[in-house]
Amino acid sequence: MQLEETDSTNSYAKANLPILSDRTIVSALKQTHGRGRFERAWVDLGSENIFMSLILKPSDEFKPLYANLTQYFSVILCEMLEQYGFKPQIKWPNDVLVDGKKISGILSETVMQGQNFKGLVLGAGINLNAQKEDLAKITDKEVTALNIEVGHFIDKNEFLDKLLERFFENYDEFLNKGFVMIENDYIKRACFLGKEISVKGFSDTKTGFAKTVNSEGELVLEKDNKEFVLTIGDIL
């Protein structure tokens, strides 16, 4: 399903979840209020970039491994970008970087009705085609777009088709195995491990040595010979 314009593909997908079937893809040519994690804005860099959300209804009850679908998506996207000769990296939990610059953000939102799990919306913004002057307007972080890195225009529809094909190729297997299925692939692309980092959560910020990512996809920090296991956060 392609929309001409929407505030956010995730917001649209959540609002229409009851009437959208499992594995529906919602995309938009223009997104006026794109959202990232912690309610950050995702800037619209033009219609030749990807603003999309996947409707996923894998079961009638929520399972903890569903929270790792953003990490699964980040690995799939890295595999796509590696075909262009890059060595993309992942910034925990799911930002994808090329040469240290953000090229994609991923946001998963769970939809509940009382105690009943209705599904989840897995959204992604991917910078495929942008002008350098537009990227320069984003001042809170370094960003890039695939066309700038490779030096030519990227066919959005072709890229998206291949991305979705790769995503669903092993999706059912991932639902059975969880993060352990991608653990090695994820860790070898992690740019934060072995470093002193600060991680901002909803209520506080923790600083420590990024020791590992465990089999649940959680970040393990070490400070003063104590370990802290973080399930959510944003590396500053």
Side-chain angles (χ1 to χ4, degrees), residues 56-138:
L56 301 174
K57 300 179 179 181
S59 69
D60 293 329
E61 63 177 307
F62 180 80
K63 299 179 182 178
L65 68 85
Y66 297 161
N68 302 117
L69 279 165
T70 57
Q71 292 166 306
Y72 171 70
F73 191 101
S74 69
V75 169
I76 297 297
L77 179 55
C78 283
E79 291 174 350
M80 285 282 295
L81 295 172
E82 284 161 2
Q83 296 180 358
Y84 291 85
F86 301 122
K87 292 184 178 180
Q89 294 180 304
I90 298 171
K91 178 183 172 185
W92 185 83
N94 51 51
D95 283 349
V96 176
L97 314 177
V98 170
D99 194 26
K101 294 168 285 190
K102 187 170 179 176
I103 199 169
S104 175
I106 304 165
L107 175 66
S108 179
E109 297 184 271
T110 301
V111 180
M112 304 291 292
Q113 190 175 67
Q115 298 297 313
N116 299 319
F117 173 62
K118 307 306 290 184
L120 57 88
V121 176
L122 182 61
I126 307 171
N127 296 336
L128 292 186
N129 296 286
Q131 301 294 323
K132 288 185 178 179
E133 54 267 31
D134 290 331
L135 292 178
K137 297 174 185 175
I138 302 173

Side-chain angles (χ1 to χ4, degrees), residues 4 208 218:
E4 287 293 320
E218 300 163 330

Side-chain angles (χ1 to χ4, degrees), residues 20-43:
L20 295 172
S21 60
D22 181 31
R23 306 193 185 195
T24 296
I25 295 94
V26 177
S27 64
L29 296 177
K30 182 176 178 61
Q31 189 172 242
T32 58
H33 291 89
R35 295 180 292 109
R37 298 172 66 250
F38 293 92
E39 294 301 318
R40 289 189 300 267
W42 182 262
V43 178

Side-chain angles (χ1 to χ4, degrees), residues 133-146:
E133 54 267 31
D134 290 331
L135 292 178
K137 297 174 185 175
I138 302 173
T139 57
D140 62 328
K141 55 186 163 299
E142 282 195 284
V143 297
T144 191
L146 187 54

